[in-house]
Amino acid sequence: MARRDNGDPSGLGAVSGWAWAWPANRRILYNRASADEQGKAWDPNRRLIEWDGARWQGIDVPDYPLALAPQQQAGPLIMQPDGLGHLFALDKMADGPFPEHYEPMESPLDVNPLHPQQRYSPAARLFAGDAAQLGEAADYPCVATTYSITELFRHWTKHALLNAIAKPEQFVEIGIELAAEKGIWSGDSVRVTLRRGYIKAKAVVTRRLPRLMVDGKPIDTVGIPCLWGFEVATHKGFLTNTLTPSVGDANSQTPEYKGFLVKVKKA
């Protein structure tokens, strides 16, 4: 990190002397694709790497086997078995081959605007007991999302006194429109509720989360940092994952913690 040479004589973004880029300090991925089948630059004025008859060389670290000659006709996209770029994921997706946009299981919209025939992913992992706890926008009109904050980066830092001083008490962020509608001011205690449970926290009223117009419908967002609990150096709080839905993505099984439905009221 002490390296601070931002020299870039080529003007192509290969700043090899600025810090370090894992794994080989290359700066432009798949730079073999900048050369034609014979190993010559497609654009002579923008030469990244070229074949010199024995090896690949140029202004960037080759993202390619150094001695693999063009005559061997290996593709430039080395992370793929065939070396080619793919427009779709072959057999790698449970709901593929082409990705499709689906709404979260708990969506503020009645219809998926991009795919009206299917609101949420039919391949998502959802157990019957969890399905029974899902809510609808008629009862829970706000979209909630979870995230970390700098002062309490990940969960272990809530046990550090210095970080607890910076962010001593659990809070949620709400937009100014929702706050005005509910009579909530910054510092008020609020209750965030859904069918799975509730949490109580201080309100931070902010312009960061404006009311959005989505498919002709006004939608408010509630931001819920996921860093408090009942055994911490900060004031004790609620577990954010009391609220989050147990819905697994069809491919990664990552749960839908970034989009679910809640309602907010002054506590």
Side-chain angles (χ1 to χ4, degrees):
M1 290 302 293
R3 289 156 45 104
R4 287 292 182 270
D5 178 6
N6 63 353
D8 182 19
S10 70
L12 299 179
V15 285
S16 300
W18 181 270
W20 181 264
W22 184 89
N25 203 35
R26 66 177 57 95
R27 302 306 169 113
I28 299 171
L29 295 177
Y30 302 129
N31 50 31
R32 165 65 180 91
S34 69
D36 62 18
E37 292 181 352
Q38 290 72 45
K40 296 299 182 182
W42 292 105
D43 184 348
N45 296 319
R46 293 188 293 173
R47 301 174 187 268
L48 287 177
I49 66 170
E50 287 187 313
W51 177 253
D52 66 2
R55 57 184 285 132
W56 293 92
Q57 54 80 33
I59 64 168
D60 196 16
V61 177
D63 191 6
Y64 200 70
L66 291 178
L68 187 61
Q71 293 77 14
Q72 294 180 261
Q73 298 183 337
L77 302 181
I78 61 173
M79 296 298 288
Q80 300 285 5
D82 54 15
L84 303 176
H86 295 173
L87 292 177
F88 54 90
L90 299 178
D91 59 347
K92 300 300 187 294
M93 295 176 64
D95 55 353
F98 284 97
E100 174 63 80
H101 169 77
Y102 297 107
E103 288 294 300
M105 286 286 184
E106 291 188 339
S107 171
L109 303 181
D110 296 326
V111 175
N112 178 354
L114 298 185
H115 197 146
Q117 295 81 10
Q118 186 65 41
R119 181 181 174 192
Y120 52 80
S121 172
R125 187 208 67 194
L126 181 63
F127 298 113
D130 297 319
Q133 296 298 314
L134 295 176
E136 296 292 337
D139 301 313
Y140 306 99
C142 299
V143 173
T145 189
T146 65
Y147 45 83
S148 297
I149 54 177
T150 303
E151 293 82 1
L152 295 177
F153 179 71
R154 303 313 305 152
H155 297 269
W156 64 270
T157 55
K158 64 190 175 185
H159 299 283
L161 181 59
L162 184 61
N163 297 325
I165 292 171
K167 288 290 187 291
E169 191 165 359
Q170 189 170 15
F171 66 89
V172 298
E173 293 189 78
I174 64 174
I176 55 175
E177 298 92 347
L178 178 61
E181 188 177 279
K182 299 288 185 179
I184 297 170
W185 297 85
S186 281
D188 286 345
S189 292
V190 295
R191 183 179 175 117
V192 182
T193 307
L194 41 58
R195 293 188 69 181
R196 291 177 291 279
Y198 70 91
I199 67 169
K200 291 181 180 179
K202 295 294 186 181
V204 172
V205 180
T206 174
R207 295 182 183 273
R208 295 195 331 131
L209 299 175
R211 178 170 287 171
L212 303 176
M213 191 64 65
V214 182
D215 198 30
K217 182 179 180 180
I219 303 294
D220 290 297
T221 303
V222 179
I224 309 176
C226 54
L227 303 164
W228 276 270
F230 41 79
E231 290 295 337
V232 289
T234 61
H235 294 296
K236 293 182 179 182
F238 289 77
L239 294 176
T240 298
N241 285 349
T242 301
L243 304 176
T244 50
S246 297
V247 178
D249 173 80
N251 298 289
S252 68
Q253 301 298 302
T254 302
E256 289 186 348
Y257 285 8
K258 299 302 179 184
F260 53 97
L261 297 178
V262 299
K263 63 181 177 182
V264 179
K265 68 177 184 179
K266 194 171 181 178

